[in-house]
Amino acid sequence: GLGKAMNLTGQLTLDLMYNAAGDLVPIECNPRIHSAVCTLEGHEFLGAAMTDPEHTPESNAQIVTSNPDTFRYWVMDQLFLMAGFWKPKNCFKLSVTDMLQGTDAILHGDDPCPFLAMYLLQIPSLLVLDLIAGTTWLKIDFCIGKIVKEGGD
């Protein structure tokens, strides 16, 4: 694979996009777990697949794949889209009915702290820092907890 060919260890994620010719092409490589990992939640072998370098699936059931019935979204992103803070560009704008069919990617009843920390601490502190610095920004990326600026990071 790519990691072995480049002598890399750890996590890496390729973001892919269809070009005008209809070909699937890589557009970005990140040294972190992809946000779509939330669709793998609950799989018996997810922990081993992510942390055990010796883990090798011995059957199809041990291959970690998404459940097609899993529907996750970031509630604050959807609320900001609904309120018109930004236009849906390369994303899905869900209706309230759609949102009731899934769950927030961060909020869990057994541990609400990541959800609360993201929306009450992390995002507000980033916005305050940008306000103090006078930095202009385009939108809040609630998926990865950052402020999107013109021209990228």
Side-chain angles (χ1 to χ4, degrees), residues 120-133:
L120 299 177
L121 298 173
Q122 182 171 342
I123 296 298
S125 65
L126 292 174
L127 288 171
V128 166
L129 290 172
D130 280 347
L131 181 65
I132 291 169

Side-chain angles (χ1 to χ4, degrees), residues 88-142:
K89 180 182 175 193
N90 300 325
C91 67
F92 296 102
K93 183 177 180 182
L94 304 175
S95 68
V96 173
T97 304
D98 292 332
M99 291 171 66
L100 292 173
Q101 304 302 310
T103 57
D104 184 85
I106 304 172
L107 181 60
H108 293 276
D110 63 338
D111 185 7
C113 288
F115 178 87
L116 295 171
M118 169 77 85
Y119 299 131
L120 299 177
L121 298 173
Q122 182 171 342
I123 296 298
S125 65
L126 292 174
L127 288 171
V128 166
L129 290 172
D130 280 347
L131 181 65
I132 291 169
T135 307
T136 58
W137 53 274
L138 302 174
K139 70 171 269 187
I140 303 167
D141 187 334
F142 291 106

Side-chain angles (χ1 to χ4, degrees), residues 16 24 39 57 65-66 74 76 85 89 102-103 127 141 146 149:
L16 307 170
L24 194 60
T39 66
T65 59
S66 295
W74 285 261
M76 291 303 290
F85 282 92
K89 180 182 175 193
T103 57
L127 288 171
D141 187 334
K146 75 174 192 176
K149 297 167 179 79

Side-chain angles (χ1 to χ4, degrees), residues 33-65:
I33 295 173
H34 196 278
S35 55
V37 73
C38 66
T39 66
L40 304 174
E41 180 182 349
H43 195 285
E44 179 181 0
F45 294 95
L46 177 60
M50 293 290 184
T51 62
D52 182 0
E54 305 301 319
H55 174 71
T56 304
E58 296 177 8
S59 69
N60 284 344
Q62 292 183 356
I63 297 172
V64 180
T65 59

Side-chain angles (χ1 to χ4, degrees), residues 75-86 140 142:
V75 69
M76 291 303 290
D77 187 56
Q78 292 302 315
L79 293 176
F80 273 58
L81 279 167
M82 286 179 190
F85 282 92
W86 48 76
I140 303 167
F142 291 106

